[in-house]
């Protein structure tokens, strides 16, 4: 039988601390925060130190925890929500080991009136060398005087380099680069929480760099160095090499957005000054993007790197080189399929539009790639794709549009009937863009059969009242653009609905005959009503589909004929060459008659589509929400309310 070792008498165990059963390897005491110490006074329920000598320590531990839980469970407030682990992230310095133990020395002011130009240059060199000393900011209370002295010295160096020319020597340039590199180049802190969960830029707050009071001045000093009027590019090429540029790019993964903004400015200045590094910088950025897309799926500096690339693409010469087109197809466009695309999509869309402005023929691969990467179940991402497509269509002509308009509007038709109202609204907003409306009008023969059926579905079935208004405007656009084409498509819709009704009746009749046959062959076994593939509610909706289509057409025609202010919208006609107003019943060709070649305006004013609160639909009363008295003015591109 094992013998337990007695606990020492002179050091009694506190009531709120317990020891592991293995007394040979004592563990750190466990402090139970939920025990009320006032209830653990010596008593019959808690063992005294003398009793501990004759009891097993494990038994005592179990009994003490059980008793303390019984006494304290009613005193501890119950918590409805557990604190998120992500909120436990703390700012940490990216420096863990600072090998430099030199003492920071303070020199006289550089701009002292007693100093000559040579003395000022010497003092500048000494102070730059002193600022190479790096302090550890993981302990905010250490070396406070030295940290403050370095900050003051850096402020003086920034002021000096903004006023005076740089020393024209490779030694001075190398000394400045060494000082900058010793301060900013470092291993970044692990980007995870206390329990190892990865950093999520959309949910987590970024960890700010504790040494930013020094780093900010270092970046400003380096920026002023690159922008100095006496900056010598021939000398700078010897000290700012590929290794330096690569280390700068590695820092873009820092969580601190302030540092990424400074890095963006500095790297852009280097790209503009050091011509020999341009190709290397572009290739290095490509590698970062490819690693982000196909490997890590996580990088904090994609937004800033895309902003730099947007400026670089804007400076490309025409015609574009093949390497730039390869970069677009293999690197830039695949960025649309990354999960955190929402964090950098505006910058990515700007880059794609810049490529189209340089070479309009690139619109086809860009649009086809967007359709290839189109999100399936992510509605916010669909809205971003639609926004980018609208920007693309605004900068292309009819020739480029005709190369991809059919697959584009096939996808657009799916978005029009999307149950997510923002997706449907953004898809219908294409007709509110004057340039896109002209492109659609020029290719009406091929686009109307694709889109009009989906617009009709949105007019009749969508749950959102504002989508009804927008869909009616688009429906009216097709109705007034080409009467003959519209009539042909509507006839196809009518025939399709009627054919569907006939097929439904035939199917119902076949099922009825089958049911009767089985019932006659098995009397007493089969009972109940015949099996019908569709319920009565669905059948009633399909029966009324043709009537509903006629009501929509009749309503739009009545609104057009009764509109007295239609002439003020004629300037928004898809065909700007013909601004003849729509004929009224009193004019020749009135009563809805209109030449198919006649240009008609696209009515943006949705208050002219005001529907009755109730209208008859196949013998039933259908409720329709009254539209708001709002209109969209293409001149200022903003919604305005009038009432």
């Amino acid at each position: 039988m094992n013998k337990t070792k007695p606990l020492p008498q002179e050091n009694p165990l506190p009531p709120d601390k317990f020891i592991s059963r293995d007394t040979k390897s004592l563990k750190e005491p466990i402090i139970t925060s939920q025990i009320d110490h006032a209830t653990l006074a010596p008593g019959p329920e808690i063992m005294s130190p003398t009793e501990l000598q004759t009891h097993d320590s494990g038994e005592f531990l179990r009994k003490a925890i059980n008793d303390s839980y019984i006494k304290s469970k009613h005193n501890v407030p119950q918590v409805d929500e557990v604190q998120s682990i992500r909120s436990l992230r703390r700012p940490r310095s990216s420096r863990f080991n600072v090998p430099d133990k030199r003492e920071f020395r303070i020199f006289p002011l550089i701009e002292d009136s007693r100093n000559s130009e040579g003395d000022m240059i010497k003092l500048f060199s000494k102070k730059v060398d002193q600022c190479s000393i790096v302090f550890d900011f993981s302990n905010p209370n250490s070396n406070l005087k030295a940290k403050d002295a370095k900050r003051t010295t850096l402020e003086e160096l920034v002021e000096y380099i903004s006023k005076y020319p740089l020393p024209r020597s490779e030694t001075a340039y190398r000394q400045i680069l060494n000082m900058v590199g010793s301060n900013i180049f470092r291993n970044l802190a692990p980007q995870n929480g206390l329990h190892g969960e990865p950093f999520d830029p959309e949910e987590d707050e970024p960890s700010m760099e504790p040494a930013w009071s020094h780093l900010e001045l270092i970046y400003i000093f380096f920026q002023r160095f690159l922008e100095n009027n006496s900056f010598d590019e021939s000398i700078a090429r010897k000290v700012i090499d590929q290794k330096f540029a690569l280390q700068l790019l590695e820092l873009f993964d820092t969580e601190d957005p302030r540092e990424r903004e400074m890095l963006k400015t500095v790297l852009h200045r280097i790209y503009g000054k050091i011509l020999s590094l341009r190709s290397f910088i572009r290739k290095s950025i490509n590698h970062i993007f490819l690693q982000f897309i196909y490997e890590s799926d996580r990088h904090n500096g994609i937004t800033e790197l895309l902003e730099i690339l947007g400026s670089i693409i804007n400076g490309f010469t025409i015609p574009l080189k093949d390497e730039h087109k390869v970069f677009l197809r293999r690197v830039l466009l695949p960025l649309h399929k990354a999960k955190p695309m929402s964090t950098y999509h505006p910058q990515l869309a700007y880059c794609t539009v810049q490529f189209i402005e340089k070479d309009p023929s690139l619109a086809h691969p860009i649009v086809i790639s967007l359709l290839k990467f189109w999100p399936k179940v992510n509605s916010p991402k669909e809205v971003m794709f639609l926004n980018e497509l609208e920007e693309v269509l605004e900068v292309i002509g009819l020739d480029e549009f005709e190369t991809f308009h059919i697959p584009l509007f096939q996808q657009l038709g799916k978005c029009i009937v999307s149950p997510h109202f923002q997706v449907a609204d953004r898809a219908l907003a294409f007709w509110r863009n004057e340039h896109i409306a002209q492109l659609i009008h020029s290719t009406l023969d091929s686009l109307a059969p694709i889109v009009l059926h989906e617009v009709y579905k949105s007019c009749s079935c969508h749950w959102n009242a504002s989508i009804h208004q927008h869909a009616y405007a688009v429906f009216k656009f097709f109705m007034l653009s080409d009467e003959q084409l519209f009539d042909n498509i509507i006839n196809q819709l009518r025939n399709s609905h009627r054919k569907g009704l006939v097929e439904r009746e035939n199917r119902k009749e076949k099922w009825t005959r089958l049911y009767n046959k089985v019932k006659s062959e098995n009397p007493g076994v089969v009972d109940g009503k015949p099996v019908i593939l569709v319920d009565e509610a669905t059948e009633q909706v399909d029966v009324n589909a043709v009537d509903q289509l006629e009501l929509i057409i009749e309503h739009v025609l009545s609104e057009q004929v009764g509109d007295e202010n239609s002439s003020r919208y004629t300037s928004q006609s898809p065909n700007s060459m013909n601004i003849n107003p729509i004929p009224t019943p009193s004019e020749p060709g009135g009563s809805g008659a209109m030449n198919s070649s006649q240009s008609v305006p696209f009515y943006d004013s949705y208050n002219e589509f005001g529907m009755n609160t109730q209208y008859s639909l196949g013998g039933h009363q259908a409720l329709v929400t009254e539209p708001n008295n709002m209109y969209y003015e293409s001149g200022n591109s903003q919604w305005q309310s009038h009432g």
Side-chain angles (χ1 to χ4, degrees), residues 153-166:
T153 304
L154 286 171
E155 292 174 351
E156 186 181 2
L157 291 176
V158 170
E159 185 177 359
Y160 174 84
I161 205 171
S162 303
K163 295 180 180 179
Y164 299 96
L166 297 171

Side-chain angles (χ1 to χ4, degrees), residues 34 69-82:
Q34 292 186 348
Y69 171 73
I70 293 174
K71 290 186 176 183
S72 60
K73 66 178 182 179
H74 300 293
N75 300 327
V76 177
Q78 298 298 320
V79 192
D80 294 331
E81 183 178 353
V82 180

Side-chain angles (χ1 to χ4, degrees), residues 151 154-155 158 212-221:
R151 184 181 57 80
L154 286 171
E155 292 174 351
V158 170
W212 183 245
S213 59
H214 286 181
L215 288 178
E216 181 182 19
L217 294 171
I218 294 292
Y219 281 115
I220 295 175
F221 172 81

Side-chain angles (χ1 to χ4, degrees), residues 604-622:
D604 291 322
S605 180
Y606 297 128
N607 61 344
E608 298 179 12
F609 296 88
M611 300 180 62
N612 298 325
T613 305
Q614 293 185 350
Y615 63 91
S616 177
L617 185 63
H620 300 277
Q621 293 292 330

Side-chain angles (χ1 to χ4, degrees), residues 383-402:
V383 174
M384 290 187 283
F385 272 57
L386 290 169
N387 291 335
E388 185 172 356
L389 281 175
E390 185 175 0
E391 294 180 15
V392 169
L393 295 180
E394 286 178 349
V395 296
I396 64 172
L398 181 61
D399 295 337
E400 294 79 21
F401 179 71
E402 289 178 341

Side-chain angles (χ1 to χ4, degrees), residues 165-207:
L166 297 171
R168 292 182 177 272
S169 65
E170 182 179 345
T171 304
Y173 276 56
R174 195 171 298 278
Q175 185 182 30
I176 291 174
L177 267 295
N178 289 337
M179 185 272 288
V180 172
S182 62
N183 281 273
I184 66 174
F185 296 148
R186 64 204 187 277
N187 294 325
L188 299 177
Q191 299 182 19
N192 48 39
L194 298 180
H195 296 271
E197 71 280 0
F199 170 68
D200 187 352
E202 296 182 356
E203 296 184 6
D204 296 333
E205 291 294 329
S207 295

